[in-house]
Amino acid sequence: MKYKMQEKQNQLIERISDRHLVVGVDIAQQVHVARAVNFRGIVVGDPLSFENNEEGFTRLLEWINRLKTIKNFDTAIVGMEPTGHYWINLSKWLYEQTIDVVTVNPHLVKKNKENRDNTQSKSDKKDALVIADMVKNGYYAFIRPTSEAFEKLRVLMSNRDVIVKRLVSSINQINRWVDVVFPEMRQVFKDVKGKGAIATLRLFPTPTELRSMEAQDIIKGWKSLMKRHAGYKKAQSLIELAKRSVGNQQAHDAYKLHLEQLLEEFDLATTQLERVEQEVTNVLQQIPFAQKLLAIKGISEISLAGILGEAGDLSGFAHGNSLLRHGGLHLAEASSGKWKGQIVLSKRGRSRLRRFLYLATMSLVMNNPEFKELHSSNVKVKKMKKMKSIMKLIGKLARILVGMVRRNESYCPEKVQPLTPIAA
């Protein structure tokens, strides 16, 4: 099946009929603003400002119903920008009231601000009107309602990103601390976040403490924290390196306090990361098709959870190309007359979905025989650049994932292998 975006655009325009009341809502933290137009863009009624609570939402619904009655509209469609997290509660509340809710791209709203009055002016009322105009012109996307499991994955993976950033930050600061206070420690422990290095930093981090110790004392300390310790030779090396260390010799009490806090942050982030990833595993077990997707060699639970958390139920996508568009991985071209511009990725979509599709594809290229062969064929036979081959394989992965879920099929390696050239 060939996926054509123009057909989808035509369908979105045709959905808006002369019986529709088109409402645009400018989202804010506390007070939203709504404007309404008909299918031709003629303004209907006065603007409405309403609070971000149940009373305000009820006022919006009464306002919509009143305009429908006065102007003889049969149905209403409400468009809004997905601004931060402020739009989520309103969209879900309207969805529960059986009102069609759609979103518009904030970038396009900014581009269309001058269409109404040919000025660069900006206000909440004007923004709401611009959003309503975009909806009646078909520049909108329906909100994809997700089940409990997919919502959990989205929240968990968002939380995981925050935890990973904190963990990486604490590791980087521990590395800096070692470089300043005891740089020779790297000659014994190559990885500062390894068990042996972390145990040493907990017990006797500064060279001053190590100089007055015996190797057996260090080993005894390691045994209190680890079942398998680094050994006598490394303990002796630490003592000898500490005696001729060029690390900072001042303010050791302040440095030790700083290190204690860094290790506390490291421990907390590590524990939280393990807990979140265990919960991700539990949620994936609740999704029927997840195990079939995990059977693909090279697909990890974290990559799949990131894809499903952002995309939701893959059976809702008509084609793999629509999944790519959802992540902003479709192509954009700038050409005019004889001049042909460069074709680039639009990146108008979910950045986290792009990231996990890329990471999953890189893992497949390294671990999956079929994708490894495809990548090799692209680079060596078709003379593609490596990154262009990866982008092409991302599209193939998207089509495989959507196809497997829609047809409820298992992974078939024979369908993925490249065609062998016919011998002359």
Side-chain angles (χ1 to χ4, degrees):
M1 180 182 74
K2 196 160 186 177
Y3 179 81
K4 293 185 178 179
M5 188 58 201
Q6 187 59 51
E7 294 179 3
K8 179 183 177 182
Q9 187 67 35
N10 291 341
Q11 292 171 6
L12 292 175
I13 297 172
E14 290 170 356
R15 287 184 67 94
I16 308 299
S17 68
D18 58 349
R19 309 309 301 166
H20 269 88
L21 176 69
V22 184
V23 179
V25 179
D26 182 64
I27 298 294
Q29 184 179 20
Q30 296 179 344
V31 180
H32 310 311
V33 177
R35 300 290 299 271
V37 299
N38 65 8
F39 81 109
R40 292 178 60 193
I42 299 174
V43 178
V44 178
D46 297 323
L48 173 72
S49 298
F50 61 99
E51 296 76 18
N52 189 23
N53 52 40
E54 187 176 8
E55 290 77 12
F57 296 171
T58 304
R59 285 184 57 215
L60 172 65
L61 185 60
E62 292 173 350
W63 179 76
I64 291 174
N65 289 332
R66 185 168 61 252
L67 290 179
K68 286 169 59 179
T69 302
I70 295 174
K71 301 296 182 179
N72 295 321
F73 291 114
D74 294 334
T75 186
I77 183 170
V78 179
M80 61 189 71
E81 291 178 287
T83 306
H85 55 273
Y86 304 127
W87 66 281
I88 297 175
N89 293 336
L90 175 60
S91 64
K92 290 186 175 181
W93 190 88
L94 289 171
Y95 184 79
E96 291 171 357
Q97 310 302 319
T98 66
I99 300 289
D100 287 336
V101 184
V102 297
T103 58
V104 298
N105 192 317
H107 183 79
L108 290 180
V109 174
K110 185 176 180 180
K111 292 282 188 181
N112 283 273
K113 284 189 187 299
E114 297 188 20
N115 288 355
R116 269 280 167 179
D117 52 11
N118 196 31
T119 69
Q120 65 272 33
S121 62
K122 181 188 184 305
S123 67
D124 293 344
K125 294 180 180 180
K126 181 179 177 181
D127 287 351
L129 196 56
V130 172
I131 292 170
D133 283 339
M134 290 181 60
V135 173
K136 64 97 176 172
N137 288 330
Y139 298 110
Y140 63 87
F142 280 98
I143 297 174
R144 298 170 55 85
T146 57
S147 64
E148 181 78 8
F150 296 105
E151 184 75 10
K152 282 184 179 179
L153 284 179
R154 187 184 64 80
V155 175
L156 288 171
M157 294 307 294
S158 177
N159 186 24
R160 182 182 180 275
D161 280 354
V162 175
I163 295 172
V164 168
K165 286 180 181 178
R166 286 174 34 227
L167 179 61
V168 171
S169 175
S170 64
I171 291 172
N172 290 340
Q173 291 184 71
I174 291 172
N175 274 283
R176 178 189 177 278
W177 190 97
V178 170
D179 291 337
V180 173
V181 179
F182 191 11
E184 294 80 6
M185 183 179 173
R186 295 184 184 278
Q187 298 179 32
V188 179
F189 301 107
K190 293 182 180 180
D191 187 4
V192 174
K193 65 178 183 296
K195 291 184 178 179
I198 292 295
T200 303
L201 292 173
R202 292 186 198 280
L203 298 169
F204 17 79
T206 63
T208 305
E209 295 171 278
L210 288 168
R211 288 169 190 163
S212 59
M213 297 182 69
E214 298 291 336
Q216 293 298 332
D217 298 329
I218 296 176
I219 291 174
K220 185 177 179 181
W222 283 343
K223 285 183 177 179
S224 65
L225 297 179
M226 300 183 297
K227 291 183 179 179
R228 297 179 61 184
H229 56 78
Y232 180 85
K233 288 185 178 180
K234 288 195 174 183
Q236 190 63 40
S237 297
L238 276 175
I239 296 172
E240 294 174 359
L241 291 169
K243 290 179 179 178
R244 57 177 189 272
S245 175
V246 297
N248 193 311
Q249 302 294 323
Q250 296 178 316
H252 275 188
D253 290 340
Y255 276 113
K256 288 179 68 174
L257 176 61
H258 184 208
L259 179 61
E260 288 176 8
Q261 294 175 339
L262 290 177
L263 291 174
E264 289 175 2
E265 177 66 18
F266 173 80
D267 293 339
L268 177 61
T270 302
T271 303
Q272 290 178 339
L273 184 61
E274 292 174 355
R275 184 178 176 185
V276 167
E277 291 184 348
Q278 180 58 50
E279 188 63 26
V280 166
T281 300
N282 296 337
V283 174
L284 284 175
Q285 293 174 354
Q286 302 171 14
I287 300 175
F289 59 78
Q291 297 308 312
K292 289 185 178 180
L293 299 182
L294 287 173
I296 304 174
K297 187 176 180 180
I299 294 287
S300 67
E301 290 184 341
I302 296 303
S303 295
L304 181 60
I307 293 171
L308 297 182
E310 291 300 308
D313 190 350
L314 296 181
S315 62
F317 290 94
H319 191 271
N321 289 356
S322 57
L323 176 61
L324 296 178
R325 180 170 286 274
H326 191 61
L329 286 168
H330 55 293
L331 299 178
E333 179 184 2
S335 300
S336 178
K338 296 181 179 180
W339 177 78
K340 187 174 180 63
Q342 186 178 7
I343 299 177
V344 297
L345 295 177
S346 72
K347 295 187 179 180
R348 299 282 176 85
R350 300 202 171 189
S351 59
R352 190 179 289 120
L353 177 58
R354 289 198 300 274
R355 172 157 57 91
F356 281 109
L357 282 171
Y358 174 79
L359 293 175
T361 304
M362 291 297 294
S363 177
L364 288 170
V365 168
M366 290 184 287
N367 301 298
N368 187 285
E370 296 78 43
F371 273 80
K372 189 181 296 185
E373 188 176 353
L374 282 170
H375 182 60
S376 177
S377 176
N378 289 339
V379 174
K380 295 179 180 179
V381 179
K382 298 181 180 179
K383 305 301 180 183
M384 286 186 186
K385 292 184 178 179
K386 290 183 178 180
M387 185 53 64
K388 185 176 180 180
S389 173
I390 294 296
M391 291 297 110
K392 184 177 180 180
L393 292 177
I394 289 176
K396 190 168 190 66
L397 174 61
R399 291 188 289 274
I400 289 173
L401 295 178
V402 173
M404 286 176 61
V405 174
R406 286 181 63 87
R407 293 189 291 270
N408 193 24
E409 294 178 348
S410 298
Y411 177 68
C412 182
E414 290 76 15
K415 294 183 179 180
V416 183
Q417 291 175 345
L419 296 174
T420 55
I422 301 174

